[in-house]
Amino acid sequence: MADAEYVPPPVWVWDKSNGGQFANINRPTAGAQTEKELPVGAHPFQLYSLGTPNGQKVTIMLEELLAAGHAGAEYDAWMINIGQGDQFGSGFVALNPNSKIPAMCDRSGDQPLRLFESGAMLLHLADKFGAFIPQDLAGRTECTCWLMWQMGSAPFIGGGYGHFYHYAPVKIEYAINRYAMETKRLFDVANNRLREARFLAGDDYSIADMAAFTWLGNLYTGIAYGNTREFLELEQYEAVGRWVGEIAARPAVQRGRVVNTQRMPERHSAADFDGVELIV
């Protein structure tokens, strides 16, 4: 169905007021807007993030590594308030030219390494510690395929469905229908896979599960996007529900989900979790 009230002009012009809840941070240009250095803590990994689904992927991975005995994965996590434009500070842009959370610096080697894009961070950590990714070629390939599936799917769920159904200042039937359909299709892809395998990459829990859980799990359990669980009838995806429940019960996942949220804006040691209400 076409929108009869809008005819695109020959040349698009940015309307600064058009963007709803995110109008103050969305713009068609890149680069630093302010001079602002990032804080640096004592640990090998410095994470600058927010507890969104993409941010949770990395904190879950770091907490899983620590729980598995990889002491070298100790990290400091600093909150980046995207609503206030922290992602446009010069220090953050130096780590991530795309000005999106999360961004991370690996200072464990001879030279600091900047890391941006959550999937790249998961792969880097998995390879560095030899954990949560199969070590054989076939298994690694399957895991990487599912990780990239999630990375490619997230814009349809978040920027597509989530925006038009939950955040957009006006409700557009065509847009909501288009992205609701795609989100349900993606749930069906995961459900079909999880009917035949315990986890996305096979028998073992991996970075592919960490990446997909933060998106599918938040929708399935009703955390994300208002009435989405009922609107999309997500309870029908029973295999996804089984998988979500198993992953959500992991203590490291419960810790990782609260880092860089209002419950726990910063994380510098395991002691910071004392007294914090976890997401279970």
Side-chain angles (χ1 to χ4, degrees):
M1 184 191 318
D3 186 345
E5 297 182 1
Y6 176 69
V7 177
V11 177
W12 180 81
V13 176
W14 177 34
D15 178 359
K16 295 183 181 181
S17 66
N18 185 15
Q21 182 174 333
F22 303 103
N24 65 321
I25 61 172
N26 289 337
R27 62 196 64 217
T29 58
Q33 298 172 16
T34 60
E35 288 296 323
K36 185 177 181 180
E37 294 303 310
L38 294 171
V40 178
H43 296 307
F45 293 94
Q46 299 296 303
L47 179 66
Y48 306 93
S49 190
L50 189 66
T52 67
N54 285 333
Q56 289 175 359
K57 296 177 193 177
V58 183
T59 48
I60 286 172
M61 176 60 165
L62 289 164
E63 291 297 328
E64 289 282 15
L65 287 168
L66 291 171
H70 298 283
E74 267 296 349
Y75 69 105
D76 295 284
W78 309 88
M79 179 182 276
I80 297 297
N81 190 325
I82 62 175
Q84 295 180 1
D86 291 350
Q87 69 275 31
F88 300 116
S90 57
F92 189 88
V93 174
L95 281 185
N96 186 355
N98 196 35
S99 292
K100 302 289 185 182
I101 62 93
M104 186 165 65
C105 184
D106 177 355
R107 305 190 307 161
S108 63
D110 295 335
Q111 296 292 329
L113 298 174
R114 76 173 184 181
L115 292 155
F116 57 93
E117 293 298 331
S118 56
M121 293 181 199
L122 293 177
L123 278 171
H124 175 78
L125 292 168
D127 287 340
K128 188 177 187 72
F129 293 99
F132 301 110
I133 191 169
Q135 299 302 299
D136 64 292
L137 179 59
R140 180 187 176 87
T141 301
E142 184 75 8
C143 180
T144 304
C145 286
W146 284 108
L147 175 63
M148 295 303 140
W149 170 79
Q150 188 284 315
M151 295 294 292
S153 300
F156 292 97
I157 297 175
Y161 171 77
H163 178 77
F164 287 107
Y165 177 74
H166 189 64
Y167 294 116
V170 294
K171 302 301 182 188
I172 303 172
E173 182 181 4
Y174 172 81
I176 293 173
N177 286 343
R178 169 69 177 87
Y179 290 110
M181 177 181 66
E182 181 63 7
T183 299
K184 286 180 69 67
R185 190 191 69 81
L186 292 167
F187 264 84
D188 207 37
V189 171
N191 202 62
N192 289 341
R193 171 57 175 165
L194 293 167
R195 282 175 177 155
E196 64 185 19
R198 182 180 176 187
F199 296 106
L200 288 175
D203 294 334
D204 298 321
Y205 174 61
S206 73
I207 56 174
D209 300 293
M210 297 178 203
F213 168 78
T214 62
W215 283 97
L216 301 185
N218 282 355
L219 270 68
Y220 186 87
T221 56
I223 292 176
Y225 308 141
N227 192 45
T228 284
R229 177 177 168 82
E230 179 182 357
F231 182 65
L232 298 183
E233 298 182 297
L234 297 182
E235 71 281 354
Q236 68 183 286
Y237 303 104
E238 295 180 358
V240 171
R242 182 268 306 164
W243 169 83
V244 166
E246 182 170 355
I247 295 175
R250 297 177 67 90
V253 172
Q254 295 173 7
R255 291 192 297 273
R257 294 177 80 185
V258 300
V259 177
N260 295 144
T261 69
Q262 291 303 316
R263 301 186 193 193
M264 189 176 179
E266 295 182 7
R267 186 270 188 209
H268 304 290
S269 75
D272 292 337
F273 291 100
D274 294 345
V276 174
E277 182 183 1
L278 301 181
I279 300 174
V280 297

